[in-house]
Amino acid sequence: MLCYEHNKTLFYTKTYHNMIHIFVAFLLVSTSLGPVLSLQPVPDSGHRQLQNCTLNPHKDIQKLRRVQAYLKKINKPAVKTIQSPDGDVIDCVPSHLQPAFDHPQLKGQKPLKPAVRPKGHNLTEAVSESFQLWRDTGESCPKGTVPIRRTTEQDILRASSLRRYGRIRRHVRRDSTGYGHEHAVVFENGDQYYGAKASLSVWAPRVTNEYEFSLSQIWIISGSFGNDLNTIEAGWQVSPELYGDNYPRFFTYWTSDAYQTTGCYNLLCSGFVQTNNKVAIGAAISPRSSYNGRQFDIGLMVWKDPKHGHWWLEFGPGLLVGYWPAFLFSHLRSHANMVQFGGEIVNTRSSGFHTSTQMGSGHFAEEGFRKAAYFRNLQTVDWDNNLVPLTNIHLKADRANCYDIRQGRNHVWGTYFYYGGPGRNVRCP
């Protein structure tokens, strides 16, 4: 908004937020203001100072109105609201009113019934009722509704622009470190894939600044690493820009044109159809793993429904979250040609050297169990809706001195790997 690109963090402060509204109100009743105004520096209080900023009153009013219009569109009427301990507000929205049904091809429809799970899927684990912080309140959303994390004005103002909010990941290649994205992953290609499954440990890695993130996820990929890339992604991420804190949060993402204009995180656009009233996409995960202490992991499975062709998502021990309709995609309407598991960070080199943003636990793979992050029981789904082990495994660490990966196999964990690292260190300048 005001001097936004150079002073973004000031929007996080209550003082500056109030200043915006006072300023806009003043503009609406005054006609004597000149076209250019200057603000004096705001007292620091731990935040950056506002320096030599030029204001554009007309543009600022327009942007504020666009933000308010977007909030009205994305935050649907709720039958119940729940205040989470981490500050989130969870809205219980009637399932047929969720953002997905703003899409022209879904308008007037209702969520589909659950798909048939792949053969060989084990549902014997006990379901934890408290795997997200908002559930610690003891409150829940009624049947027939879906829990949606409310988007706030502060969420949008942290983004580089309203158009980019919750949408653009700004990278298009898996095989390079362009755009500052670095990976430590296991992947398999060379066949037709109809899904993937794994359990991944949850940590709270340190993220150096608001322009970076750290995530661990499953990718379902089809097309080439160019303008026609289709991906479905799910896992956990720490993203101060998107969420305003450093909690690991359950997230989803999709795109059908290599992250250019289609797709978004979570439910921030019309796309993913949620069917579950116990899981809030974008909400903080609890508990989390601790170094040399208790380890906590979550199960994830994405697979293509043989009957309707939609891609379904399961989270935790057997909870169907919802599905991505097949019509959202081009290549993924039929199948994937690659599946990928692992971690990703953004390295902005904001201080002139490699970031100290952590991946996974922040420790290298060689440290092993209770110290390094892991994925276990990696499987893919074949053409006949069977879960099968990986047979053509490849490992890739873009910067092994910063974040690395080690893969193994045993009778308890099946195919597994440890991964991650601290980022900047003596071997990673």
Side-chain angles (χ1 to χ4, degrees):
M1 223 175 175
L2 311 180
C3 306
Y4 184 70
E5 292 299 327
H6 300 292
N7 300 282
K8 209 160 77 167
T9 54
L10 281 172
F11 285 109
Y12 306 162
T13 67
K14 184 178 179 180
T15 300
Y16 195 57
H17 184 261
N18 289 338
M19 184 186 296
I20 295 171
H21 290 282
I22 293 170
F23 177 67
V24 170
F26 179 65
L27 290 177
L28 293 176
V29 299
S30 173
T31 59
S32 61
L33 289 175
V36 178
L37 299 174
S38 291
L39 289 180
Q40 296 300 315
V42 175
D44 192 357
S45 302
H47 299 278
R48 290 183 215 162
Q49 291 188 354
L50 187 63
Q51 298 175 345
N52 300 322
C53 290
T54 300
L55 304 181
N56 186 327
H58 181 67
K59 186 176 180 180
D60 292 336
I61 294 172
Q62 283 188 326
K63 182 167 184 177
L64 184 62
R65 286 173 176 166
R66 287 197 299 269
V67 168
Q68 295 296 337
Y70 176 81
L71 289 172
K72 186 175 180 181
K73 178 182 178 182
I74 200 70
N75 290 324
K76 303 301 184 181
V79 300
K80 179 180 180 179
T81 61
I82 300 169
Q83 184 73 50
S84 176
D86 61 348
D88 283 355
V89 175
I90 304 299
D91 290 324
C92 302
V93 176
S95 58
H96 66 283
L97 296 180
Q98 64 181 288
F101 294 107
D102 290 339
H103 196 288
Q105 291 187 245
L106 290 174
K107 232 171 184 39
Q109 298 184 32
K110 294 183 178 180
L112 294 174
K113 292 182 179 179
V116 176
R117 290 178 172 88
K119 289 167 271 192
H121 182 42
N122 185 0
L123 282 174
T124 60
E125 298 179 59
V127 175
S128 168
E129 287 297 324
S130 184
F131 44 81
Q132 290 189 306
L133 274 175
W134 71 278
R135 296 297 306 278
D136 290 350
T137 62
E139 297 284 344
S140 60
C141 283
K143 287 185 178 180
T145 69
V146 294
I148 301 179
R149 178 184 181 271
R150 184 182 298 175
T151 300
T152 68
E153 188 172 305
Q154 288 80 8
D155 289 335
I156 298 172
L157 294 178
R158 283 192 303 269
S160 58
S161 71
L162 178 59
R163 184 181 64 84
R164 298 182 74 90
Y165 172 66
R167 288 181 176 267
I168 309 299
R169 294 274 297 278
R170 290 183 291 214
H171 78 295
V172 297
R173 296 189 67 82
R174 204 342 289 130
D175 55 351
S176 83
T177 56
Y179 299 89
H181 292 250
E182 299 176 16
H183 307 77
V185 296
V186 161
F187 67 94
E188 181 172 297
N189 57 7
D191 202 348
Q192 297 182 358
Y193 304 97
Y194 295 82
K197 179 180 183 288
S199 294
L200 52 157
S201 58
V202 179
W203 295 80
R206 182 180 66 251
V207 174
T208 301
N209 64 57
E210 70 196 45
Y211 306 102
E212 299 182 348
F213 64 65
S214 181
L215 62 77
S216 297
Q217 67 174 39
I218 294 175
W219 288 259
I220 307 292
I221 302 170
S222 194
S224 62
F225 287 96
N227 294 336
D228 66 342
L229 183 72
N230 289 199
T231 76
I232 286 172
E233 306 170 29
W236 60 263
Q237 69 177 165
V238 175
S239 176
E241 181 181 31
L242 192 57
Y243 305 107
D245 57 36
N246 289 282
Y247 289 111
R249 293 170 175 272
F250 172 52
F251 83 97
T252 63
Y253 195 91
W254 68 274
T255 181
S256 61
D257 64 354
Y259 308 97
Q260 295 182 92
T261 60
T262 63
C264 62
Y265 281 108
N266 308 331
L267 303 180
L268 295 176
C269 66
S270 300
F272 186 84
V273 179
Q274 185 162 338
T275 60
N276 193 291
N277 69 332
K278 294 183 171 67
V279 178
I281 305 174
I285 299 173
S286 176
R288 301 179 284 275
S289 301
S290 60
Y291 186 79
N292 230 1
R294 179 188 176 190
Q295 302 300 290
F296 176 74
D297 61 32
I298 55 173
L300 286 177
M301 182 169 67
V302 178
W303 80 102
K304 190 175 179 63
D305 173 19
K307 184 177 181 181
H308 297 287
H310 305 315
W311 292 88
W312 281 80
L313 171 64
E314 183 183 280
F315 173 65
L319 294 173
L320 284 180
V321 182
Y323 59 93
W324 292 269
F327 66 74
L328 295 174
F329 306 101
S330 52
H331 300 292
L332 282 175
R333 289 193 189 192
S334 52
H335 60 267
N337 56 27
M338 178 186 287
V339 293
Q340 187 169 283
F341 312 80
E344 176 185 347
I345 65 95
V346 168
N347 172 29
T348 62
R349 298 185 65 88
S350 58
S351 299
F353 41 75
H354 195 284
T355 182
S356 295
T357 286
Q358 298 173 334
M359 181 189 293
S361 69
H363 293 263
F364 286 114
E366 63 189 22
E367 295 195 42
F369 187 60
R370 292 173 58 185
K371 297 176 180 178
Y374 64 80
F375 277 64
R376 62 181 176 89
N377 294 319
L378 274 62
Q379 296 174 287
T380 62
V381 180
D382 69 8
W383 65 273
D384 197 29
N385 205 32
N386 294 296
L387 278 167
V388 296
L390 277 67
T391 58
N392 183 29
I393 295 174
H394 303 275
L395 275 67
K396 175 71 174 176
D398 290 328
R399 292 183 183 267
N401 288 334
C402 310
Y403 316 99
D404 68 355
I405 186 166
R406 290 191 178 187
Q407 179 255 328
R409 182 173 177 78
N410 62 36
H411 292 300
V412 179
W413 277 17
T415 299
Y416 69 89
F417 63 88
Y418 292 101
Y419 70 101
R424 186 170 187 248
N425 64 80
V426 292
R427 296 181 299 146
C428 174

